[in-house]
């Protein structure tokens, strides 16, 4: 895990979101659960409508499933699932395509975990084009 890569990725995602939604995004702690406890989300819009967790994960070197990272993605979805359903909740992942599997890591994650998402949207961020794409 490389914290600098993660921060750089988050910053690029932040810029793309600011452009798309015409508002500022920043780290913010929000109370979740019962009893309420603060959790710091990666990016939250200034109006509080958009709550985002960012993950800059890749397939393993052998293009295998990064199991531990999948568990952390599930944890991020779990935190997002505690946010009110009238907010937009996104897990934004780095686009990483596997020739071997013929899908991106975000597509794979969505395919195997869609039953757990409960309204959390999976978006993929392409670092070279700076484009966000919803995974369906």
């Amino acid at each position: 895990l490389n914290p600098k890569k993660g921060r750089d990725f988050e910053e690029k995602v932040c810029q793309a979101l600011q452009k798309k939604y015409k508002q500022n995004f920043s780290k913010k702690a929000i109370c979740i659960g019962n009893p309420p406890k603060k959790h710091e989300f990666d990016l939250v819009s200034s109006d509080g409508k958009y709550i985002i967790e960012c993950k800059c994960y890749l397939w393993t070197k052998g293009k295998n499933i990064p199991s531990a990272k999948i568990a952390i993605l599930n944890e991020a979805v779990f935190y997002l699932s505690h946010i009110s359903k009238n907010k937009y909740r996104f897990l934004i992942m780095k686009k990483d395509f596997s020739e071997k599997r013929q899908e991106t890591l975000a597509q794979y994650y969505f395919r195997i975990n869609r039953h757990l998402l409960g309204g959390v949207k999976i978006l993929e961020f392409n670092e070279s084009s700076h484009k966000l794409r919803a995974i369906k």
Side-chain angles (χ1 to χ4, degrees), residues 16-54:
L17 290 168
Q18 286 175 173
K19 201 169 162 183
K20 183 174 173 71
Y21 295 109
K22 308 284 185 250
Q23 57 182 311
N24 292 322
F25 284 80
S26 58
K27 275 197 185 303
K28 186 175 182 191
I30 297 173
C31 286
I32 58 171
N34 192 6
K37 186 175 178 195
K38 282 187 185 264
H39 174 77
E40 188 172 76
F41 289 93
D42 293 332
L43 297 169
V44 178
S45 61
S46 48
D47 68 3
K49 275 190 192 168
Y50 300 91
I51 321 280
I52 291 109
E53 287 283 84
C54 295

Side-chain angles (χ1 to χ4, degrees), residues 77-78 80-87 89 109-110 113-122:
V77 167
F78 177 74
L80 287 164
S81 73
H82 283 81
I83 296 292
S84 165
K85 305 287 182 251
N86 66 356
K87 309 273 188 199
R89 300 160 299 142
Y109 180 76
F110 178 81
N113 291 295
R114 87 171 40 154
H115 63 292
L116 299 175
L117 298 177
V120 173
K121 301 279 184 256
I122 306 299

Side-chain angles (χ1 to χ4, degrees), residues 53-90:
E53 287 283 84
C54 295
K55 298 296 176 200
C56 184
Y57 293 162
L58 305 172
W59 293 101
T60 65
K61 291 234 186 309
K63 295 297 179 190
N64 293 317
I65 297 156
S67 307
K69 290 174 182 169
I70 297 293
I72 295 169
L73 293 169
N74 285 339
E75 181 184 49
V77 167
F78 177 74
Y79 288 129
L80 287 164
S81 73
H82 283 81
I83 296 292
S84 165
K85 305 287 182 251
N86 66 356
K87 309 273 188 199
Y88 296 97
R89 300 160 299 142
F90 299 144

